[in-house]
Amino acid sequence: MYFFQSSPVSYKRFIKRFPTENSLIKLYAKTCVDFDIESKPKKRRCPHCGSCQNGPFRKNNEKLRLCKRCGRTFSIFRNSIFDKSKADFRIWMYIGYCMFYYHHVYFNVDKISRTQIIRETHAPSNATIYHIYDVLYKFCLLYTSPSPRDKRQS
């Protein structure tokens, strides 16, 4: 049973699509790129030397990248909301997906119940779900609220 009124994908189906955390991280690494000053997408830069020449450090861990120029490793989550998180990345993405869905369908992310997310995901810790929800909720409010420029033009 879905805990959303018309959620397109349940957590079980989400897990079937991404059976391992690494499969979702691989998709994230492929689709989420850094942007330069002119807002042109480019490869992720090494935080140590600034080089764009990097690749996966290990096949079984897509989070880590190896810089071919300086030889140092870095995480693709560095300086992001996922940095230093030990929670399963699939839970982060599922909650983010639900917030995105509710924002675009109902224009309201407050319809999502944290306790229902805990039941659906069978999360090991309620505090983890509350933390992820709060971080993503603040992030959603930050990037979906109208800018001061939009308010002046109205």
Side-chain angles (χ1 to χ4, degrees):
M1 179 177 182
Y2 299 134
F3 61 91
F4 303 114
Q5 293 171 359
S6 62
S7 177
V9 176
S10 70
Y11 187 69
K12 286 181 182 179
R13 286 185 57 193
F14 191 82
I15 292 299
K16 282 183 184 175
R17 171 67 179 89
F18 302 104
T20 63
E21 183 180 21
N22 205 39
S23 61
L24 189 56
I25 291 171
K26 194 174 195 174
L27 177 68
Y28 175 85
K30 189 168 79 172
T31 57
C32 294
V33 295
D34 289 342
F35 286 86
D36 63 7
I37 297 169
E38 300 166 355
S39 297
K40 294 180 182 174
K42 62 182 176 185
K43 279 188 89 178
R44 197 168 302 280
R45 289 189 172 276
C46 171
H48 308 291
C49 68
S51 170
C52 289
Q53 298 175 352
N54 59 67
F57 182 58
R58 293 187 195 111
K59 286 184 180 180
N60 62 349
N61 188 354
E62 291 286 332
K63 263 191 251 189
L64 292 178
R65 308 293 285 177
L66 175 67
C67 178
K68 294 175 182 169
R69 187 166 151 205
C70 69
R72 295 176 76 181
T73 60
F74 63 96
S75 170
I76 62 169
F77 296 144
R78 188 179 183 140
N79 299 328
S80 74
I81 60 174
F82 313 116
D83 194 17
K84 297 182 181 159
S85 174
K86 293 179 181 159
D88 190 337
F89 189 60
R90 294 176 295 178
I91 293 176
W92 276 95
M93 288 292 107
Y94 184 70
I95 294 171
Y97 160 75
C98 292
M99 286 185 171
F100 178 81
Y101 176 79
Y102 262 82
H103 173 70
H104 287 284
V105 173
Y106 298 107
F107 305 107
N108 186 1
V109 295
D110 295 325
K111 289 186 173 231
I112 301 169
S113 166
R114 292 183 211 173
T115 53
Q116 293 295 346
I117 290 172
I118 292 166
R119 280 188 219 132
E120 179 91 6
T121 60
H122 304 290
S125 167
N126 294 358
T128 300
I129 296 297
Y130 276 76
H131 171 72
I132 292 171
Y133 181 91
D134 290 341
V135 169
L136 290 175
Y137 186 79
K138 289 174 188 170
F139 186 78
C140 187
L141 290 179
L142 180 68
Y143 286 98
T144 58
S145 61
S147 67
R149 177 195 279 172
D150 295 337
K151 288 178 183 176
R152 280 185 270 152
Q153 290 177 351
S154 325

